[in-house]
Amino acid sequence: MIVIGGGLAGLTSAIHLAKSDLKVLIIEKHSYPRHKVCGEYISNEVLPYLKFLGFNPFEFGAKQITRFELTTHNNKKIQSKLPLGGFGMSRYEMDFQLYNLAQKNNVHVFRDTVVDVKFSDDNFQVVTKANKQYRSKIVIGAFGKRSNLDVKLNRAFIRKKSPYLGVKVHVSGEFDETKVALHNFKGGYCGVSKVENNCINLCYITNYDAFKKYKDMEQFRQSVIFKNDALKAIFSSSTLEFQKPLTISQISFETKRPVENHMLMCGDSAGMIHPLCGNGMGMAIRSAHLASNLVIDYFQNKIKTRSELEHMYSKSWEKTFKLRLKAGHIIAYLFRQDWLAPKLLVLLRSLPFLVPYIIRMTHGKPIKI
């Protein structure tokens, strides 16, 4: 078994497969630990699965989150309890600890970059930048939002330019660790939550055209982000923990296929929910669960053919995530309309039962093991 990419989806699927006595190789281009641009809030829906894998995030300082706060660019605010709850944990810590767990489960992790995947005679040949070649019956693609491999595979979404830019920093300061907040500003929004070591994760996404009007990131913060009073208060009263912010461009929310060139795609490689919905990490882990169960059934001959495996994965992926992604697109579109967002908040204040309902639309029930 080869897993391309060692993020949340890649690591959890590898651990799951190794627990079923399959030999698993992860090929990951970066070393651990490392920070990533990410909201770092995870829905509790994945906790039963993480427990099954042998991973307890709270052993490593994850923060339990039970409440949600939303503000608009003109400082209208609404608060709600999270129907299921979640936890805050940095990718720096979570990926690293899952990597350690993978190694304990005899998963081999090679640091290299996959440059091509060829499929013939019912087998894969995986070629890397270091001129290594690996053969495998099954390959899981978990190589993230955008990759040169997407170009090689000629995936449709990669041909479309995306206007979004993501920025992330960790800061130290005061913030309620039981809360995840989503603060809107003109052209974007910022997610805020506590992670381990009492750090506050600030991760915002904006339209690049809006951002490039300003000389630098500091001017953008002063001129745009600080129009939101909550964000101004957090940024102004906290201390930066990073030497400089992390950034990522060309974030795409275009539709992707869950099976590509016979590979089962997991995590952001299969599809990305809008960050406004705050559940990308949960989706990545849940997709690993779906793929791993079906791959195990395939190797145990419960699924007879590759085409049946691919069909079953595509069907289960769409059943699990299609409604979430659609809801995420609609919610994000509505809140991008600066004139409409305040009116929506007024409506939600008068009908508060709608908030948990909307949250449920982008989250799932606890994973059944």
Side-chain angles (χ1 to χ4, degrees):
M1 271 291 313
I2 293 177
V3 179
I4 304 173
L8 290 179
L11 287 164
T12 48
S13 62
I15 294 165
H16 189 166
L17 294 164
K19 285 173 71 71
S20 291
D21 298 323
L22 293 173
K23 291 182 179 179
V24 186
L25 166 65
I26 292 177
I27 305 174
E28 164 59 39
K29 63 182 178 180
H30 295 291
S31 59
Y32 299 93
R34 64 183 285 265
H35 287 288
K36 295 181 178 180
V37 177
C38 180
E40 299 185 337
Y41 162 81
I42 308 106
S43 167
N44 280 343
E45 67 186 88
V46 304
L47 283 178
Y49 184 48
L50 294 178
K51 183 180 178 181
F52 162 76
L53 296 178
F55 180 75
N56 179 3
F58 303 106
E59 286 182 6
F60 305 101
K63 303 295 185 182
Q64 295 205 41
I65 296 172
T66 57
R67 299 190 301 116
F68 171 67
E69 179 180 271
L70 174 70
T71 65
T72 62
H73 70 283
N74 63 345
N75 300 302
K76 304 294 184 184
K77 181 171 76 172
I78 192 168
Q79 294 181 318
S80 172
K81 285 186 176 181
L82 287 167
L84 190 58
F87 60 95
M89 189 173 188
S90 74
R91 294 296 302 274
Y92 184 93
E93 185 69 17
M94 190 166 182
D95 288 25
F96 181 52
Q97 297 302 339
L98 286 169
Y99 162 70
N100 291 335
L101 182 60
Q103 291 188 308
K104 288 178 184 176
N105 282 274
N106 299 314
V107 174
H108 297 283
V109 184
F110 290 173
R111 187 179 174 190
D112 203 346
T113 301
V114 174
V115 295
D116 198 8
V117 180
K118 301 171 183 176
F119 181 79
S120 63
D121 298 326
D122 204 37
N123 275 282
F124 292 94
Q125 183 182 44
V126 177
V127 183
T128 73
K129 193 174 181 179
N131 293 319
K132 301 287 186 182
Q133 295 189 14
Y134 304 94
R135 295 187 67 81
S136 178
K137 187 75 173 173
I138 296 290
V139 170
I140 288 177
F143 39 84
K145 301 174 182 65
R146 269 182 108 79
S147 166
N148 287 336
L149 201 52
D150 291 312
V151 178
K152 191 75 177 179
L153 293 169
N154 197 29
R155 301 184 78 187
F157 85 92
I158 204 76
R159 297 193 293 270
K160 300 177 182 178
K161 193 169 182 178
S162 174
Y164 297 108
L165 170 74
V167 182
K168 167 188 154 173
V169 293
H170 279 181
V171 300
S172 55
E174 294 298 318
F175 187 79
D176 183 354
E177 66 179 42
T178 68
K179 179 173 72 176
V180 60
L182 188 68
H183 300 304
N184 287 261
F185 53 86
K186 284 196 173 182
Y189 42 85
C190 180
V192 187
S193 60
K194 273 272 185 84
V195 295
E196 75 285 348
N197 299 324
N198 275 324
C199 284
I200 304 168
N201 181 49
L202 296 166
C203 188
Y204 62 87
I205 186 168
T206 183
N207 187 298
Y208 186 74
D209 288 337
F211 177 79
K212 70 181 182 181
K213 294 176 184 176
Y214 299 89
K215 182 175 65 176
D216 53 30
M217 205 168 288
E218 180 58 30
Q219 190 183 70
F220 178 73
R221 278 202 296 265
Q222 294 288 339
S223 303
V224 179
I225 292 179
F226 286 5
K227 299 296 184 189
N228 183 300
D229 292 343
L231 286 175
K232 183 177 181 179
I234 294 168
F235 274 96
S236 302
S237 63
S238 58
T239 303
L240 188 65
E241 294 291 326
F242 288 0
Q243 286 188 337
K244 62 179 183 178
L246 298 178
T247 61
I248 184 173
S249 60
Q250 292 287 304
I251 302 172
S252 175
F253 307 111
E254 295 289 334
T255 302
K256 301 176 184 178
R257 294 192 299 185
V259 177
E260 198 77 61
N261 190 33
H262 302 285
M263 288 187 287
L264 307 188
M265 312 301 275
C266 287
D268 290 343
S269 295
M272 185 176 169
I273 195 166
H274 213 285
L276 184 144
C277 302
N279 200 27
M281 292 173 74
M283 279 183 57
I285 294 168
R286 192 159 200 139
S287 68
H289 175 254
L290 293 175
S292 299
N293 278 336
L294 290 171
V295 168
I296 291 165
D297 284 348
Y298 177 73
F299 279 110
Q300 292 178 349
N301 210 31
K302 295 176 185 176
I303 297 175
K304 303 297 183 183
T305 65
R306 184 182 298 278
S307 60
E308 185 183 357
L309 169 66
E310 293 173 8
H311 173 74
M312 289 180 71
Y313 180 64
S314 295
K315 190 175 179 181
S316 62
W317 196 94
E318 294 219 350
K319 181 180 178 182
T320 306
F321 300 122
K322 190 173 182 178
L323 179 59
R324 294 194 204 193
L325 293 173
K326 187 174 182 179
H329 278 293
I330 293 170
I331 293 166
Y333 172 79
L334 293 175
F335 276 94
R336 279 200 304 272
Q337 314 308 309
D338 292 333
W339 65 273
L340 180 59
K343 293 179 172 61
L344 289 174
L345 241 66
V346 171
L347 175 65
L348 293 173
R349 276 178 177 170
S350 61
L351 301 170
F353 67 90
L354 285 176
V355 179
Y357 176 76
I358 292 169
I359 293 170
R360 286 190 189 98
M361 289 175 67
T362 57
H363 291 63
K365 295 179 181 178
I367 296 173
K368 292 181 179 179
I369 304 301

